[in-house]
Amino acid sequence: MKIKTVLFLSFLCIGSVFGQTTIEKWKIFEVKLNGPTNGNPFTDIRLQGKFIQNNDTVTVSGFYDGAGIYKIRFMPQKEGKWSYITASNSKKLDKKKGNFLCTAALKGNFGPVVVADTFHFAYANGKPYYPFGTTCYAWVHQGDSLAEVTLKTLSKGYFNKMRMCIFPKDYDWNKKEPFLYPFEGKPLTDWDYTKFNPAYFRNIEKRIAQLDSLGIEADLIVFHPYDRWGFKKMDRKTDDRYINYIIARFAAYKNVWWSMANEYDFMAEKKKEDWDHYIQLFAANDPYNHLRSIHHGSVMYDHTNPLLTHASIQNEDTYRAKELRNKFKKPIIYDECRYEGNINWSWGNLTAEEMVNKFWRGVTNGGYVGHGETYLTENPVQFGYKSDAEMWWSKGGVLRGKSQERIKFLKTIIESAPGYLTPVVNYEYWMPYSAVAYKDEYFLNYYNMDQPRSQIVNLPKNAQYKVEIINGWDMTITPVEGEYSGKTLIQLPQKPFTAIRCTKEK
Amino acid sequence: MKIKTVLFLSFLCIGSVFGQTTIEKWKIFEVKLNGPTNGNPFTDIRLQGKFIQNNDTVTVSGFYDGAGIYKIRFMPQKEGKWSYITASNSKKLDKKKGNFLCTAALKGNFGPVVVADTFHFAYANGKPYYPFGTTCYAWVHQGDSLAEVTLKTLSKGYFNKMRMCIFPKDYDWNKKEPFLYPFEGKPLTDWDYTKFNPAYFRNIEKRIAQLDSLGIEADLIVFHPYDRWGFKKMDRKTDDRYINYIIARFAAYKNVWWSMANEYDFMAEKKKEDWDHYIQLFAANDPYNHLRSIHHGSVMYDHTNPLLTHASIQNEDTYRAKELRNKFKKPIIYDECRYEGNINWSWGNLTAEEMVNKFWRGVTNGGYVGHGETYLTENPVQFGYKSDAEMWWSKGGVLRGKSQERIKFLKTIIESAPGYLTPVVNYEYWMPYSAVAYKDEYFLNYYNMDQPRSQIVNLPKNAQYKVEIINGWDMTITPVEGEYSGKTLIQLPQKPFTAIRCTKEK
């Protein structure tokens, strides 16, 4: 009988078995060292850890966490015994050794998400991952009490991805100062860009880990244009140091994704070469090869860049996922298709109905879609946006809309499919609508906001199918009596949000 | 005191004043002659009328109407005395002379519609004409009793244009034979293409005149692909004879428009040169230069062709009218943006809400939009479309939907604007939405199916404006208290179909 003691050290999962330090696969093993405090440890000290298992060596960068503490974080991707040795230009940090045992992943730990089957995603353990994301750009900068409310909302399981900015946000209704700043110095713009503020990044790490515990991927936005502090116009050297620092700190979190930018094309300070450079830097320096994307405002990035793992799209025509798949040969995520809400800006006043429709149309055309919510409930202020207000899209908190429950319903439908869904293009089995299928086993056809009284399903003749009528708004699944094969006319309820699901009988 | 006796000779409006035949401007003066019945009068006899007023001569072709009767129809476009003389290769028809007095147009007679202000239309008398059309492709081929129902529906004033085919229609739910055929011979395909059936064309003329009396333009579709009788694959010579015959018969009706085709690109029998040729033929031989267009299925025609007066579009993205205006520099009519209905085909199962939205988006982006309705109410038949069924889009009859009342509401709004509306592109006065304006006098901004709680209107500062909130679905116009100038935040009801109208105070 094995005796196992697991110590939960904040977000780390280091334990020990008979004196041997153990770490669960895809969790974080952290080496913590005392080192120099003189000079500028952020720029003066170089620190690396080499993690070795048989012929495998993974080299990861360490980082300075303030108060003389240096850390190296490692996410083991293989079970078994690992040893490590540090390398540093500081003697106090150099040639430190140790070892640990990487144990099997426990329930709920599937590893980081990777691209699968060209247009889709899976966790490292092979389990399919279907992104149903949301957006709270600045939720980590609002302090603990609101973040706790956000986490409670997220715990309801509507979403499994969160788009969030590393830097604070300056925008309409976002005029409050963040409670922490990323660099030493004084707001608004008096920063020592050579010195990070570790507390700022520890706060983000805490949130990343909390998202992970809820099964939510953290789609971290590295740069964005909505800034009054100068973070959008740092020089190349500072940008690189910042990127390397966040890789050193965050990359060991299995649920991290790198999004180079929110609306890269709205950042006049950066050129195409800069973005290509950042993408390359992440590809070169992230030892785990986390997913990489870049999100646009009006001008779509060339997502054929082989270092981009998927296409992150801003556009409301989510049914065009099919075209974009053909163009980019990658997973297509409409991370921004406008938000459910009531603000004056057109990007933030979709009805819940339209939000849900955009999810369905995206998913039934071979893509994925992201959510956001912008309900302004405060008393009207002249022109509204000069004030500060709590809206999910930026600060998190509570959801006031009606789409999230329907998105969750769609998520359960997609997750229960027998495999990755591919758009039906030849319409052999379907009328020309939004239709996806898994081999000849499963067909899902969505009729948008239309109201057909019937549809023909032309099912394969060599098998029997169960037919169900789904309503994406009412969240109902109604079986159609009987078993079907070949060409059949299915009567429909003549209302928006209707879908037909056909599943091959075993 | 003038004594005037007006005789209504069926659809003609010929009268007499002190023995002088009179004809109202833009109505039809008809010369009726007895001529040869031997041989083939349709091909053997040439007949023309020259109508002369001072230095003006208008030459029009006559036609054989059967039973030895030949007719020449003329629509005078100028008041005053006209004389005429015929020319024919038949002595019995040659050099017949006469004269008449063209009197002023009476109430409700505005003349034919022409292009005005590049992107719009007006009647010949200068009154603006804003097309709000519908579609009953084959209503004239259904016999009198259903046509009377159709006319009763149309008399409710929802629409002022009708898209209708000259040839009968073969399609799903259109399997009944027409009650008349255009040529002598026997169905399905045994026709003497050199001999027209005058009764067929008289029936269409009756319908054209009835539409005119309801203020409805007859957008006549010359060719279309949905045919089982062979009319879609006649040879060039037959096509030309047919075109000249309909010009001779129909062109004197002021409310006639020529649409070369419904879905020209679905007619494999015709080539690009054919279509260019037909367009040229109408331009050359129609003495009144009635509006000319060509409608597509998937591949848009090159509407820059200078002989096309406007662009007839099939596409559901009516908000793109703005782009198409820039491309074609002509009026843009989305004659087909899908239909309100419940059939299995995706082009015919829009909700009333979406139909109304498409009208509003088209009109507030500088275009015009057409209606159609396809509610199938019969008991379901296997695959539905092999049967015959009465649906407005094809046969006319009654309307079962909810969009027509809202379309009429929008029509009254557009007709009450002080002038032609132009898309607002610089957003000086508006947020970036669907917005049109007339100079600085009038602004109409539609917020689609979105639900903004407020919008900023940035009105000119040198005037005061009345502001109204319109709901295109509820058909409500709610004045906002006060007068406005410059930048103002207008509170809105947070629901779809909202529009703001701002009108300059005199």
Side-chain angles (χ1 to χ4, degrees), chain A residues 375-412:
Chain A
Y375 279 107
L376 185 62
T377 57
E378 331 265 313
N379 282 331
V381 178
Q382 187 66 9
F383 306 145
Y385 47 77
K386 296 301 170 206
S387 66
D388 203 81
E390 190 194 306
M391 281 184 267
W392 176 262
W393 128 89
S394 178
K395 299 187 179 173
V398 296
L399 284 167
R400 300 176 171 98
K402 293 179 184 164
S403 66
Q404 65 273 13
E405 291 287 356
R406 277 89 185 175
I407 292 166
K408 185 179 176 180
F409 173 72
L410 173 60
K411 185 164 161 270
T412 63

Side-chain angles (χ1 to χ4, degrees), chain A residues 316-317 319-320 338 340-347 349-354 361 375-385 431-433 447-456 487-489 491 494-496, chain B residues 316-317 319-320 338 340-347 349-354 361 375-385 431-433 447-456 487-489 491 494-496:
Chain A
E316 71 167 317
D317 296 337
Y319 61 90
R320 295 219 154 124
R338 303 174 63 202
E340 183 188 346
N342 64 355
I343 59 171
N344 56 332
W345 295 110
S346 61
W347 51 258
N349 54 33
L350 280 182
T351 57
E353 285 84 352
E354 267 303 340
R361 292 196 79 174
Y375 279 107
L376 185 62
T377 57
E378 331 265 313
N379 282 331
V381 178
Q382 187 66 9
F383 306 145
Y385 47 77
M431 304 294 288
Y433 254 101
Y447 302 103
N448 308 339
M449 300 280 268
D450 301 336
Q451 50 178 10
R453 78 201 291 264
S454 61
Q455 281 289 310
I456 295 159
K487 215 173 195 182
T488 314
L489 186 77
Q491 299 302 315
Q494 306 191 44
K495 57 196 279 196
Chain B
E316 71 166 317
D317 296 337
Y319 63 89
R320 294 217 156 125
R338 302 173 64 200
E340 182 186 349
N342 65 355
I343 60 170
N344 56 333
W345 295 110
S346 61
W347 51 258
N349 55 31
L350 280 182
T351 58
E353 286 83 351
E354 268 304 341
R361 291 195 80 175
Y375 279 107
L376 184 62
T377 58
E378 331 266 311
N379 283 329
V381 179
Q382 187 66 7
F383 306 143
Y385 47 77
M431 305 292 289
Y433 253 101
Y447 302 103
N448 308 340
M449 301 279 268
D450 301 335
Q451 52 177 8
R453 76 200 293 265
S454 62
Q455 281 289 310
I456 295 159
K487 217 175 196 182
T488 314
L489 187 76
Q491 299 302 313
Q494 306 191 43
K495 59 195 279 194

Side-chain angles (χ1 to χ4, degrees), chain B residues 131-134 161 318 332-337 355 358-363 367-371 407:
Chain B
F132 283 81
T134 188
K161 181 166 88 72
T318 57
I332 306 299
I333 306 184
Y334 284 86
D335 274 310
E336 204 177 332
C337 68
M355 186 91 226
K358 287 182 195 306
F359 263 79
W360 271 87
R361 291 195 80 175
V363 164
Y368 296 100
V369 185
H371 163 272
I407 291 166

Side-chain angles (χ1 to χ4, degrees), chain A residues 99-142:
Chain A
N99 59 66
F100 61 90
L101 182 69
C102 175
T103 57
L106 299 176
K107 193 164 176 276
N109 173 5
F110 318 118
V113 170
V114 296
V115 170
D117 203 11
T118 310
F119 299 110
H120 302 278
F121 300 96
Y123 294 101
N125 79 340
K127 178 185 158 74
Y129 167 82
Y130 306 100
F132 284 81
T134 189
T135 309
C136 302
Y137 285 120
W139 78 284
V140 298
H141 307 122
Q142 308 304 318

Side-chain angles (χ1 to χ4, degrees), chain B residues 19 86 104 116 118 180 193 197 208 224 228 262 270 310 345-346 362 364 376 405 413 421 429 438 443 491 496-497:
Chain B
T86 67
T118 309
L180 291 167
Y193 282 113
N197 175 10
I208 293 171
H224 69 81
R228 63 179 174 260
N262 178 44
K270 310 271 184 221
H310 61 284
W345 295 110
S346 61
T364 55
L376 184 62
E405 291 286 357
I413 287 177
L421 300 175
Y429 301 134
Y438 176 69
F443 299 90
Q491 299 302 313
F497 296 104

Side-chain angles (χ1 to χ4, degrees), chain B residues 47-319:
Chain B
L47 172 64
Q48 280 191 332
K50 275 186 204 302
F51 292 83
I52 303 144
Q53 184 186 77
N54 304 324
N55 295 327
D56 273 358
T57 301
V58 183
T59 305
V60 304
S61 292
F63 63 92
Y64 184 56
D65 200 27
I69 306 292
Y70 291 77
K71 289 178 176 172
I72 303 170
R73 287 181 182 155
F74 176 62
M75 173 181 74
Q77 296 173 290
K78 277 187 184 173
E79 292 171 49
K81 206 169 171 182
W82 287 86
S83 62
Y84 68 85
I85 180 164
T86 67
S88 177
N89 60 344
S90 158
K91 270 200 175 161
K92 289 179 80 175
L93 302 170
D94 193 39
K95 296 202 177 63
K96 304 291 168 189
K97 291 179 187 176
N99 59 66
F100 61 91
L101 181 70
C102 175
T103 55
L106 299 176
K107 193 162 176 276
N109 172 6
F110 318 119
V113 170
V114 295
V115 169
D117 203 11
T118 309
F119 299 110
H120 302 278
F121 300 96
Y123 294 100
N125 80 340
K127 178 183 157 73
Y129 167 81
Y130 307 99
F132 283 81
T134 188
T135 309
C136 303
Y137 286 120
W139 78 284
V140 297
H141 306 122
Q142 308 305 316
D144 283 347
S145 61
L146 189 58
E148 290 306 317
V149 179
T150 307
L151 289 163
K152 197 177 161 195
T153 305
L154 289 171
S155 73
K156 293 179 186 163
Y158 307 130
F159 311 111
N160 59 16
K161 181 166 88 72
M162 169 63 84
R163 290 180 71 226
M164 53 193 269
C165 295
I166 298 175
F167 285 130
K169 185 178 174 85
D170 171 74
Y171 193 76
D172 302 350
W173 303 294
N174 284 261
K175 295 299 173 191
K176 220 168 59 181
E177 284 297 302
F179 78 113
L180 291 167
Y181 295 95
F183 300 100
E184 282 189 25
K186 278 200 320 242
L188 283 180
T189 57
D190 182 15
W191 308 113
D192 180 351
Y193 282 113
T194 67
K195 290 179 182 162
F196 296 103
N197 175 10
Y200 185 87
F201 294 91
R202 274 197 293 271
N203 172 61
I204 297 178
E205 284 155 16
K206 181 170 75 180
R207 302 307 176 205
I208 293 171
Q210 286 168 323
L211 292 177
D212 189 44
S213 71
L214 295 170
I216 298 171
E217 302 295 300
D219 197 357
L220 300 177
I221 295 168
V222 179
F223 296 109
H224 69 81
Y226 305 109
D227 171 81
R228 63 179 174 260
W229 304 274
F231 307 141
K232 70 175 175 185
K233 47 184 179 187
M234 305 184 306
D235 60 20
R236 166 72 69 88
K237 209 169 157 187
T238 308
D239 284 348
D240 284 5
R241 198 164 42 229
Y242 157 67
I243 288 173
N244 284 325
Y245 193 69
I246 60 173
I247 290 175
R249 294 201 70 115
F250 302 157
Y253 292 80
K254 67 180 163 67
N255 63 324
V256 158
W257 300 21
W258 307 117
S259 173
M260 300 305 127
N262 178 44
E263 296 174 341
Y264 83 91
D265 50 326
F266 292 173
M267 296 183 75
E269 301 78 9
K270 310 271 184 221
K271 305 269 162 287
K272 170 84 165 67
E273 309 84 81
D274 294 317
W275 298 111
D276 286 340
H277 166 76
Y278 306 138
I279 295 165
Q280 267 179 315
L281 203 57
F282 277 101
N285 293 358
D286 170 4
Y288 315 106
N289 209 23
H290 284 294
L291 294 171
R292 286 177 299 272
S293 71
I294 183 166
H295 168 274
H296 71 280
S298 359
V299 183
M300 202 182 282
Y301 206 80
D302 177 11
H303 298 292
T304 58
N305 181 332
L307 297 180
L308 292 170
T309 52
H310 61 284
S312 172
I313 305 297
Q314 173 166 190
N315 195 285
E316 71 166 317
D317 296 337
T318 57
Y319 63 89

